[in-house]
Amino acid sequence: MRHTPKQAYDHMKPDPENDNLFPLSRGPQPVENLVAQAWKNGGGLTRVIVSGEEWRLSVAEITQDGAFSRFPGISRQIALLTGQGVRLRLSDGTEREVVRVGEILAFPGDLDVEAILVDGPVQVVNLMHPADRPWRMEAVRGGDASGFEVSAARAVVVARGCWVFEGASGQPRTCVAGAYLVLPEGSGGRLESDGDGLLYCVAPG
């Protein structure tokens, strides 16, 4: 039997550089580095973080009042990232709003939605998933997150403050406001921040 030289496997050794063979998706990245896609109605831009069969996570910049696209059978959650907030007028006759960082608004994609800016453009984190395959977005505050475990999380988006993520390798990664981090399924880790930090954590179920 022909043996493969030991050197051929050297690049696979667990170490802090490759995060124990299961690296994060390029580590923390600025949202602004993602390709911006214009809305069909011209009312904003979308930067997609993750797009799969079960969930889609993006950051949308709403630049003017106008309608959201309808997505029948899809559940939606939005949360304020930057700006003074947005009010939504829904076709079920209700009006709802997100005007503070940390607020999360859930609504069915089946409805017609009219967005009204409170005071200038905003950025919102936008989570979409089939209604029969639940996902959740949670706001995590630094003061509440002493060694916050992210074992079930699949992505985080930092709204405020500076967070330190430590994965399987023990190599710390710094996540600042405006950055996102995509986590491979089952990778886990811990996030810590000072009392002023706030991020949105996305996980199944």
Side-chain angles (χ1 to χ4, degrees):
M1 179 182 293
R2 184 177 180 180
H3 294 281
T4 303
K6 176 180 177 295
Q7 290 83 354
Y9 297 106
D10 284 350
H11 70 285
M12 296 180 64
K13 289 181 179 179
D15 58 48
E17 291 298 319
N18 62 24
D19 211 23
N20 284 343
L21 302 183
F22 300 98
L24 301 175
S25 180
R26 299 181 297 137
Q29 299 291 316
V31 169
E32 66 182 16
N33 284 2
L34 294 167
V35 176
Q37 305 170 39
W39 294 8
K40 290 181 180 179
N41 64 9
L45 299 170
T46 295
R47 291 177 167 86
V48 178
I49 296 173
V50 175
S51 182
E53 292 184 2
E54 293 191 355
W55 64 302
R56 183 178 190 268
L57 182 66
S58 62
V59 171
E61 182 178 348
I62 307 173
T63 57
Q64 63 186 45
D65 297 348
F68 284 0
S69 298
R70 291 180 68 249
F71 293 96
I74 299 297
S75 294
R76 302 188 63 176
Q77 298 172 50
I78 65 171
L80 189 64
L81 189 61
T82 65
Q84 299 303 308
V86 60
R87 297 187 177 94
L88 303 185
R89 188 171 295 147
L90 308 176
S91 59
D92 64 0
T94 63
E95 260 191 45
R96 303 163 78 178
E97 64 182 18
V98 280
V99 296
R100 285 179 289 274
V101 173
E103 292 180 338
I104 298 171
L105 172 60
F107 59 95
D110 308 72
L111 298 177
D112 292 322
V113 179
E114 188 76 14
I116 303 162
L117 295 170
V118 172
D119 184 15
V122 300
Q123 285 184 314
V124 296
V125 182
N126 180 31
L127 174 63
M128 303 172 65
H129 59 88
D132 60 350
R133 299 179 185 178
W135 282 71
R136 68 182 187 275
M137 178 161 53
E138 299 177 358
V140 179
R141 291 170 171 81
D144 303 331
S146 178
F148 174 63
E149 295 288 343
V150 291
S151 57
R154 299 294 297 279
V156 297
V157 181
V158 179
R160 189 171 62 218
C162 179
W163 293 76
V164 177
F165 175 81
E166 188 171 305
S169 70
Q171 181 77 5
R173 314 279 185 109
T174 301
C175 307
V176 298
Y180 69 92
L181 181 64
V182 177
L183 301 163
E185 186 174 359
S187 62
R190 295 169 69 84
L191 275 160
E192 296 185 2
S193 177
D194 55 27
D196 190 46
L198 188 144
L199 61 75
Y200 297 110
C201 178
V202 177

